[in-house]
Amino acid sequence: MQNKSNIVISVLFFLTFIIHFSIWKFVFHLDEVTIIKFYLFLSVIFMMMITLLLIINRTFPQFVGMSVIGLILVKFGLMYLIKNKLHFEAIPNFKFHFIIPYFVLTALLTYYAIQLINYDKKQ
C-alpha cells in the first residue's frame, strides 16, 4: 500500500510542478526563480506534512482524520506567510498561481490520509 501510494503522490506532485512551470514560463513569460523558490517551499512543507501524518498514524491512529484538518490549517498559515515573502502581488494573476497548487497539494495530502485510514481498517 505504502509504495503504490507514495509513487502516485510523487508522480502527481511532479506533474503539477511541470504543468505549472510550463504555464508560468511559456504562457505568462515570468521569471522562473520565483516559481522554483515557491515549489521548493511547497516540497518542504508537503514532505513535512506527510511525515507528521505518519508520526500521528503510528502514535495515535484514531486521530489521523482530525489531524489532517489541523495540518491543512498550519499549511494555510505557512502559505500565507510565503505569499507575502515572495511578493506575489507583483505577479499578474497571482491568485491563480497561489491557490491552484495549494489545493492540488491539499488534495494529495487528503488522499494520502485516506489511504492510511483505509489501510489501518484492513489490518
Side-chain angles (χ1 to χ4, degrees):
M1 188 293 295
Q2 292 293 337
N3 289 336
K4 182 180 176 184
S5 172
N6 291 342
I7 291 171
V8 168
I9 287 175
S10 299
V11 167
L12 288 174
F13 178 79
F14 285 115
L15 189 64
T16 302
F17 172 71
I18 290 169
I19 291 170
H20 193 195
F21 185 79
S22 300
I23 291 170
W24 181 276
K25 184 68 178 162
F26 301 116
V27 175
F28 293 109
H29 305 289
L30 297 171
D31 184 31
E32 60 268 351
V33 174
T34 305
I35 192 83
I36 291 173
K37 285 182 186 177
F38 181 60
Y39 270 93
L40 184 63
F41 174 77
L42 283 178
S43 300
V44 170
I45 293 298
F46 186 67
M47 290 302 131
M48 184 180 73
M49 295 296 165
I50 294 290
T51 304
L52 287 173
L53 201 58
L54 287 172
I55 291 170
I56 291 169
N57 187 43
R58 287 190 182 142
T59 55
F60 304 106
Q62 67 271 19
F63 295 118
V64 170
M66 293 301 286
S67 66
V68 170
I69 296 170
L71 290 174
I72 289 172
L73 181 65
V74 168
K75 183 179 166 186
F76 180 74
L78 292 172
M79 291 291 290
Y80 182 76
L81 292 175
I82 196 67
K83 180 184 79 87
N84 290 335
K85 189 78 168 169
L86 287 177
H87 306 293
F88 258 31
E89 292 81 21
I91 299 169
N93 300 322
F94 77 95
K95 290 181 182 178
F96 166 75
H97 297 292
F98 173 69
I99 292 173
I100 300 297
Y102 174 80
F103 283 132
V104 168
L105 293 180
T106 302
L108 289 176
L109 182 69
T110 306
Y111 171 75
Y112 192 76
I114 290 170
Q115 293 297 324
L116 281 176
I117 292 169
N118 287 339
Y119 184 74
D120 287 342
K121 284 184 180 178
K122 289 180 183 177
Q123 297 294 328

